[in-house]
Amino acid sequence: MTMKQPRPRALALVAALALTQFAAGCASPPPERFYRLAVAAPSAAAPGTATAGDGPVVTVGAVTLPALVDRPQIVTLAAGSRVEVSEAHRWAEPLRFALGRVVAEQLAVALGTPLVYAYPQVAVADPAFRVTLNVQRLDATRGIAVDGELLWIVRRVADGQLRSGRSHGRGVPADASYDALAAAHVEALAAVSGDIARAIGELATR
């Protein structure tokens, strides 16, 4: 009994399939990239620039975030009700810390004081004002916009007087890159920080 030999074409197909499977198994995932939220530093001659000892001491407490975005991966909106969670593009620090830090830096400029501290670096014994932030919504769409809705409370420590509000912030990225998306997050927080700075100003003059 003579066994049939495999045809050359069949051998080629088997070899191509094996090579494809081997290549798929050996393919490495794309490298991870990490992004931070960076506030542009004001020049020394810019209005609002202050030196140590100027203005009130303010602390910005821990920020509460929706579970959807409280993760290392950058989350963006997609078509319909889909969201995209990018494993290759991540925040360089927990987003709840980054948002509080950005608000603190923006408040320092708006209030003209360097004495604004953000959680977890709030080792200040006697702040004049405490700020708490609760992010209700933080929607980011690459190349389109970052839209945020935040609840905030400002408390004057001396007597417990409060100011509170709900602020909407919007930032428009320059392009569809993740770098532009990070910059749009900072832009979106500027309106929120402005509202908080005005509340602090009102409490400071009462």
Side-chain angles (χ1 to χ4, degrees), residues 96-199:
R96 62 185 182 278
F97 293 169
L99 296 177
R101 175 179 53 77
V102 168
V103 169
E105 292 177 14
Q106 291 174 337
L107 283 175
V109 174
L111 297 172
T113 173
L115 304 177
V116 184
Y117 303 86
Y119 180 87
Q121 298 177 338
V122 290
V124 178
D126 297 307
F129 299 95
R130 297 186 188 274
V131 178
T132 58
L133 296 169
N134 185 299
V135 179
Q136 299 290 292
R137 179 173 59 84
L138 189 61
D139 296 334
T141 308
R142 292 171 58 195
I144 304 297
V146 174
D147 282 298
E149 202 82 30
L150 288 83
L151 299 177
W152 50 265
I153 298 174
V154 176
R155 177 176 176 267
R156 186 166 62 190
V157 175
D159 57 7
Q161 286 290 312
L162 301 176
R163 288 288 186 278
S164 62
R166 176 187 291 267
S167 298
H168 171 256
R170 180 178 176 86
V172 179
D175 51 51
S177 68
Y178 283 91
D179 286 296
L181 193 73
H185 278 75
V186 176
E187 181 186 353
L189 289 172
V192 179
S193 300
D195 291 344
I196 295 171
R198 282 186 287 275

Side-chain angles (χ1 to χ4, degrees), residues 35-125:
Y35 301 83
R36 68 189 183 100
L37 301 185
V39 178
S43 64
T49 302
T51 58
D54 294 337
V57 177
V58 180
T59 60
V60 179
V63 178
T64 304
L65 278 177
L68 177 65
V69 295
D70 189 15
R71 62 184 73 207
Q73 303 91 337
I74 297 180
V75 179
T76 55
L77 301 184
S81 58
R82 288 193 307 111
V83 296
E84 294 179 349
V85 180
S86 177
E87 295 293 340
H89 300 87
R90 295 170 174 251
W91 297 116
E93 62 182 316
L95 187 58
R96 62 185 182 278
F97 293 169
L99 296 177
R101 175 179 53 77
V102 168
V103 169
E105 292 177 14
Q106 291 174 337
L107 283 175
V109 174
L111 297 172
T113 173
L115 304 177
V116 184
Y117 303 86
Y119 180 87
Q121 298 177 338
V122 290
V124 178

